């Protein structure tokens, strides 16, 4: 068939021969977008292998852009393999679907990220996978709950609302001894506060899987949802990668680009928010409205010694994510605490953390736990996450809202 000479030559546009010169280098990597990936021949198509990242077959199975972020995250968290998923919660659910089957049991800490508990109570239960909640501050309680049906144990360090830091080392040891897979939600540590695969730096003790809500610190903008699942064991990685492929999970190149752009500043952002959180937690502890400050680096906070053991070992100053909770005195009603949150101006009411804007959320601990934990004072819990604003102005904001809504 002849080309219609009156029409623009779109074929020429689509198959344009120009390729720009190679060796372009700049601070940020080039971004590759694809569903379709070309093969030089059918034989090459049949031979290509994507599971070890030696080549490309289809956008969903990886591009130079996703491989790049996966490798940089491995460097951050000390993992060997990484899979990207569309949210932090998708990282948690993919780990569950990749490792559990009907008849198995999963154990979660009672202070676990709420939606992970909801997954166990919803889909996993419907699939015939049972669960139990263990006391995050009692390794003996975890050990007692492990049965031959236990296939997966979740760890969270610390619990992201009530901030208890568990005895990570002992929990990992128990899982290892009982030959149960051990997965950590590493969103708080972010690869900066401690190394999940090498807790003591001697290569001996670490988790099997680290799941991370990249939505928080790696994104740093409050504008991207993404998650990662990291491993050090090739077979376990392939098991997760195949499940990930069959579920059809993938991430958009534009979102990966945003995370790649934010990643170089993760250390200074983490440290800045850590400093602000400690300054405000210290200030809050002295306020008459405050019954308890919950922050792993705060002496007396539940699990403080366990935080020291992995985060501040061998004379390190010890890093912590930029969030803390306070238990406001039980003399205030939850409506008064809501009013306090409403009075804040710089702190916005909203979920998540690690972004530029400080956030606040009140939580009803009684409704979230099996029973009221003995280590928490009675009262209403409010969680603050630090943005990048000045600590002094954030403190003034807290002060004016306390004065306004919670008269001493
Ligand atoms: C935010 C968060 C998640 C979920 O991440 P999303 O990207 O919002 O789905 C999981 N675990 C923890 C501890 C989190 O803070």
């Amino acid at each position: 068939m002849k080309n219609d000479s009156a029409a623009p030559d779109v074929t020429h546009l689509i198959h344009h021969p120009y390729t720009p010169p190679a060796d372009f280098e700049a601070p940020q990597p080039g971004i590759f977008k694809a569903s379709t990936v070309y093969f030089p021949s059918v034989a090459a198509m049949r031979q290509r292998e994507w599971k070890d990242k030696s080549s490309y077959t289809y956008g969903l199975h990886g591009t130079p852009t996703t491989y790049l972020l996966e490798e940089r995250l491995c460097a951050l968290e000390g993992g060997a393999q990484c899979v990207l998923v569309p949210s932090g919660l998708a990282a948690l659910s993919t780990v569950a679907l990749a490792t559990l089957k009907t008849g198995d049991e999963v154990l979660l800490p009672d202070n676990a990220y709420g939606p992970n508990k909801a997954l166990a109570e919803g889909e996993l239960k419907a699939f015939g996978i049972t669960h139990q909640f263990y006391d995050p501050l009692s390794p003996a309680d975890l050990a007692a709950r492990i049965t031959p049906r236990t296939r997966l144990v979740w760890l969270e360090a610390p619990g992201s609302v009530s901030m208890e830091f568990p005895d990570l080392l002992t929990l990992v040891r128990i899982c290892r001894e009982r030959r149960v897979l051990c997965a950590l939600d590493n969103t708080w540590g972010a690869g900066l506060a401690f190394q999940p695969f090498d807790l003591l730096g001697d290569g001996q003790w670490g988790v099997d899987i680290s799941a991370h809500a990249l939505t928080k610190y790696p994104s740093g903008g409050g504008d991207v949802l993404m998650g990662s699942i990291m491993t050090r064991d090739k077979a376990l990685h392939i098991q997760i990668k195949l499940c990930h492929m069959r579920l059809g999970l993938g991430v958009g190149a534009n979102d990966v680009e945003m995370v790649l752009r934010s990643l170089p500043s993760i250390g200074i952002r983490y440290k800045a928010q850590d400093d602000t959180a400690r300054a405000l937690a210290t200030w809050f502890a002295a306020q008459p409205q405050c019954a308890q400050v919950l922050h792993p680096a705060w002496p007396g906070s539940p699990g403080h010694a366990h935080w020291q053991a992995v985060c501040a070992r061998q004379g390190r100053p010890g890093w912590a994510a930029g969030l803390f909770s306070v238990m406001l005195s039980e003399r205030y009603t939850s409506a008064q605490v809501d009013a306090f949150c409403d009075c804040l101006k710089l702190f916005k009411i909203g979920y998540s953390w690690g972004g530029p804007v400080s956030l606040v959320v009140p939580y009803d601990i009684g409704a979230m736990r099996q029973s009221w934990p003995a280590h928490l004072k009675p009262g209403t819990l409010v969680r603050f996450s630090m943005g990048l604003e000045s600590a002094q102005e954030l403190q003034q904001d807290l002060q004016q809202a306390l004065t306004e809504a919670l008269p001493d």
Side-chain angles (χ1 to χ4, degrees), residues 80-275:
Q81 309 92 10
C82 175
V83 174
L84 298 175
V85 289
S87 70
L89 184 52
L92 306 180
S93 62
T94 303
V95 167
L97 294 179
T99 60
L100 298 168
K101 61 180 188 321
T102 302
D104 291 346
E105 183 158 273
V106 55
L107 302 182
L108 299 105
D110 197 24
N111 60 354
Y113 178 67
N116 202 16
K117 287 174 119 177
L119 175 74
E121 288 163 337
E123 278 66 21
L124 298 188
K125 187 173 174 199
F127 295 158
I129 298 160
T130 59
H131 63 272
Q132 291 186 61
F133 300 121
Y134 67 90
D135 176 351
L137 290 178
S138 169
D141 185 51
L142 173 73
R145 290 176 192 276
I146 293 176
T147 72
R149 292 200 302 111
T150 311
R151 284 285 302 140
L152 176 67
V153 171
W154 276 106
L155 311 178
E156 235 179 276
S160 58
V161 172
S162 39
M163 300 288 155
E164 303 92 342
F165 206 98
D167 182 352
L168 265 186
L169 204 58
T170 305
L171 296 179
V172 164
R173 279 193 178 132
I174 290 170
C175 293
R176 180 90 55 93
E177 279 162 20
R178 305 287 291 271
R179 298 181 186 281
V180 181
L181 270 182
C182 168
L184 170 74
D185 181 330
N186 194 32
T187 306
W188 183 93
L192 295 164
F194 60 91
Q195 287 286 295
F197 295 100
D198 189 6
L199 294 170
L200 293 182
D202 59 2
Q204 292 293 305
W205 299 101
V207 299
D208 299 307
I209 299 170
S210 171
H212 190 169
L214 307 179
T215 306
K216 308 290 164 57
Y217 277 105
S219 146
D223 53 357
V224 176
L225 288 156
M226 200 178 296
S228 61
I229 306 166
M230 200 163 294
T231 46
R232 271 193 178 180
D233 180 82
K234 179 92 184 285
L236 181 58
H237 166 69
I238 295 295
Q239 186 180 339
I240 293 166
K241 180 89 189 164
L242 288 173
C243 175
H244 173 261
M245 181 193 70
R246 292 187 291 254
L247 291 173
L249 298 173
V251 293
N254 293 77
D255 287 344
V256 175
E257 176 181 19
M258 304 260 271
V259 178
L260 282 169
R261 195 159 193 275
S262 295
L263 217 46
S265 63
I266 190 170
I268 55 172
R269 289 185 284 108
Y270 195 93
K271 179 72 169 66
Q273 296 184 344
D274 181 359
D275 289 348

Side-chain angles (χ1 to χ4, degrees), residues 225-352:
L225 288 156
M226 200 178 296
S228 61
I229 306 166
M230 200 163 294
T231 46
R232 271 193 178 180
D233 180 82
K234 179 92 184 285
L236 181 58
H237 166 69
I238 295 295
Q239 186 180 339
I240 293 166
K241 180 89 189 164
L242 288 173
C243 175
H244 173 261
M245 181 193 70
R246 292 187 291 254
L247 291 173
L249 298 173
V251 293
N254 293 77
D255 287 344
V256 175
E257 176 181 19
M258 304 260 271
V259 178
L260 282 169
R261 195 159 193 275
S262 295
L263 217 46
S265 63
I266 190 170
I268 55 172
R269 289 185 284 108
Y270 195 93
K271 179 72 169 66
Q273 296 184 344
D274 181 359
D275 289 348
T276 304
R278 289 187 209 213
L280 295 190
T282 304
W283 175 82
F284 223 115
Q287 305 310 306
Q289 294 89 343
C290 175
Q292 191 176 16
V293 161
L294 300 162
H295 182 303
W298 183 256
S301 196
H304 172 64
H306 305 314
W307 169 81
Q308 283 182 306
V310 293
C311 299
R313 63 187 168 81
Q314 292 171 344
R316 290 162 194 244
W319 282 19
L323 65 167
F324 69 97
S325 296
V326 296
M327 195 63 84
L328 291 167
S329 165
E330 59 181 329
R331 66 179 179 273
Y332 301 114
T333 63
S334 64
Q336 281 178 294
V337 173
D338 290 356
F340 161 73
C341 297
D342 287 342
C343 280
L344 289 163
K345 295 185 171 72
L346 294 179
F347 284 89
K348 299 296 175 188
I349 299 161
Y351 296 113
S352 200

